[in-house]
Amino acid sequence: MRYLIEKLIFGPIGLIILIILGLVVFLFFSKKKEENIPMTGQHHYSNDPNAPKDIESLDLIYFSLYSIGTSIQENDFVYGASLLEITLSIYDEKDEYILKKAKDQLKEFQESGYMLWLTVSNKTSEDYVSFNIPVDKKFVEEFALLVRQSTIMTLNGRVDWTDGIPVDTGQLILAARYQTNEKLSISINGKAPSSQEKNLFTKLKPLFIKIMLENNADYIPLLNYDRTIINAQDLISSIHISQEHPTLLNTFNFNLEINDKKAYLSGKFTDYDGTFSCETAEIKQSDLEILLNGLISNRYVLVTDSFEHKNNVDILEDGIFSFYIHFNGIDKGFKPYYGSFDEGTADVICIFQQLVKKYNSK
């Protein structure tokens, strides 16, 4: 009997049976594995009716936002997809993930009670910042108030997710917990940032820039994230635009210095009416607002000299064009690049010309 069993198992018939059994087991577990893999293109949508659309509490325990914007392609210039990642957490000695995330700032985290992690990446040269800092309860309450004042809570409980689509088609994942046990939960992809998401970033942006200024951190990626300069009078320290050319009509030089919200203009240019110039003339607040609003309306991307790309400004033959903005708290200057030049956008050079004429040296 033993001989027959061994012959059955180790003989040709036994090997065939073993191979068949192996294939059955393999296919069974492969099927199980496939069942756990989301199908590409499968859409999930739900909207929890019990999710609060307003949370009064400012006792925020944890806040996490992960957002990837959509890629923008204009002519030969591709910008994005930008990434924004925010984590704000209370100190919890039992939360191994948060403690590990604090790294060498663990002691400061414990003493302050809260920690903020902020990452912004805009996929252009050097346009990236990772800012991590311990914060106190006052900061957290201000943060929580701005979240409430935004419109993001109207999306609470929303799941609108399609499996397997590229991340640069847009993505928003938000989660938050409060001492009151109230929660925020949003998962959306495949869409450009919603008005609620944009509104949230607009609300939080000044708070981030303020604390980054206080800590000498590079906040320019935050300006580039939505191509908007907020509180321009507080952030911009100087503007310089010049062009050298063999002809006088195409040669100009304009400078604006802002110090303590007082603005000083100097410049020189020539048009068909003559040559106009002024030197360190203090200009009115209303004129400063006109100039800065003209600059802001262009919605430039701010880049450094290391950004290698064809210049989007039509530089005249034999001409040398220069355009730089300097910001408070940051040593290097930035080139305003690829703005929105539609019919409603004010021409900054024209505004400079008008102001130089107005403050023309007598």
Side-chain angles (χ1 to χ4, degrees):
M1 178 64 72
R2 181 179 177 183
Y3 170 77
L4 289 174
I5 292 174
E6 288 179 350
K7 187 174 182 180
L8 180 63
I9 293 175
F10 297 107
I13 297 175
L15 289 174
I16 291 171
I17 292 172
L18 288 174
I19 290 171
I20 292 172
L21 286 173
L23 284 172
V24 171
V25 171
F26 173 77
L27 291 172
F28 174 79
F29 284 105
S30 295
K31 181 67 175 175
K32 284 290 183 181
K33 188 176 181 180
E34 286 179 3
E35 289 174 356
N36 294 326
I37 298 175
M39 291 179 60
T40 299
Q42 186 174 355
H43 184 239
H44 310 272
Y45 182 86
S46 62
N47 198 355
D48 184 359
N50 298 318
K53 306 304 180 185
D54 182 31
I55 298 177
E56 295 184 7
S57 174
L58 302 182
D59 288 326
L60 197 56
I61 297 175
Y62 179 80
F63 180 95
S64 173
L65 181 146
Y66 183 84
S67 173
I68 298 178
T70 52
S71 294
I72 299 171
Q73 183 166 354
E74 298 170 339
N75 297 324
D76 63 341
F77 179 60
V78 179
Y79 184 73
S82 298
L83 178 145
L84 172 67
E85 190 170 6
I86 304 167
T87 303
L88 179 66
S89 177
I90 194 170
Y91 178 81
D92 182 357
E93 61 181 8
K94 297 179 181 178
D95 192 329
E96 294 182 4
Y97 169 76
I98 289 295
L99 298 183
K100 186 177 180 180
K101 192 175 175 69
K103 297 179 182 176
D104 58 349
Q105 294 175 293
L106 185 58
K107 183 179 179 181
E108 293 90 340
F109 183 13
Q110 184 177 14
E111 291 173 351
S112 65
Y114 299 86
M115 190 85 179
L116 170 70
W117 292 270
L118 173 66
T119 298
V120 180
S121 175
N122 295 307
K123 301 287 181 70
T124 59
S125 177
E126 298 182 7
D127 200 357
Y128 167 87
V129 64
S130 180
F131 178 70
N132 311 325
I133 190 169
V135 292
D136 57 17
K137 188 170 180 61
K138 182 181 177 182
F139 177 91
V140 175
E141 289 178 347
E142 189 173 354
F143 181 99
L145 181 61
L146 292 171
V147 172
R148 189 189 180 202
Q149 289 175 346
S150 76
T151 55
I152 198 67
M153 290 187 183
T154 61
L155 296 178
N156 193 19
R158 177 81 57 88
V159 174
D160 188 354
W161 196 271
T162 302
D163 295 328
I165 62 175
V167 294
D168 61 3
T169 56
Q171 192 174 110
L172 169 65
I173 303 172
L174 188 152
R177 299 193 307 272
Y178 294 78
Q179 290 280 10
T180 55
N181 290 324
E182 293 169 292
K183 296 179 181 179
L184 290 177
S185 179
I186 304 166
S187 299
I188 299 172
N189 76 341
K191 293 177 172 60
S194 64
S195 59
Q196 294 92 335
E197 184 181 351
K198 291 177 181 177
N199 183 252
L200 174 63
F201 182 69
T202 300
K203 293 285 185 183
L204 293 176
K205 190 173 180 179
L207 180 64
F208 291 150
I209 291 176
K210 179 176 179 289
I211 194 170
M212 293 175 84
L213 262 170
E214 292 171 354
N215 290 273
N216 300 313
D218 179 7
Y219 53 83
I220 299 301
L222 272 76
L223 305 185
N224 281 339
Y225 185 76
D226 58 358
R227 295 164 74 171
T228 303
I229 301 173
I230 59 154
N231 302 332
Q233 290 192 33
D234 296 326
L235 296 185
I236 295 175
S237 60
S238 67
I239 301 172
H240 166 78
I241 305 179
S242 68
Q243 181 168 277
E244 296 179 21
H245 194 266
T247 63
L248 267 179
L249 287 175
N250 292 309
T251 298
F252 52 80
N253 192 329
F254 304 114
N255 288 282
L256 182 78
E257 301 284 338
I258 303 175
N259 190 359
D260 242 1
K261 294 192 177 181
K262 290 184 178 181
Y264 301 91
L265 173 71
S266 60
K268 184 176 182 179
F269 78 101
T270 300
D271 64 12
Y272 291 107
D273 295 325
T275 297
F276 302 88
S277 66
C278 66
E279 186 174 348
T280 321
E282 183 178 349
I283 66 175
K284 294 180 180 179
Q285 184 69 23
S286 57
D287 290 328
L288 174 61
E289 290 176 0
I290 290 171
L291 180 54
L292 293 180
N293 287 337
L295 179 71
I296 291 169
S297 68
N298 282 276
R299 297 187 69 244
Y300 290 109
V301 176
L302 303 167
V303 301
T304 62
D305 286 328
S306 64
F307 180 63
E308 296 181 2
H309 200 280
K310 179 183 175 182
N311 200 313
N312 64 304
V313 177
D314 291 328
I315 299 174
L316 297 175
E317 187 177 353
D318 298 324
I320 300 174
F321 181 79
S322 176
F323 189 177
Y324 284 94
I325 302 177
H326 282 82
F327 293 85
N328 290 318
I330 301 176
D331 294 333
K332 57 190 175 184
F334 292 84
K335 296 187 293 185
Y337 185 86
Y338 218 96
S340 303
F341 303 107
D342 54 39
E343 291 182 0
T345 302
D347 189 300
V348 180
I349 294 175
C350 288
I351 297 174
F352 264 114
Q353 289 174 336
Q354 292 166 9
L355 291 179
V356 169
K357 278 188 175 183
K358 180 176 180 177
Y359 294 92
N360 183 39
S361 303
K362 303 298 183 181

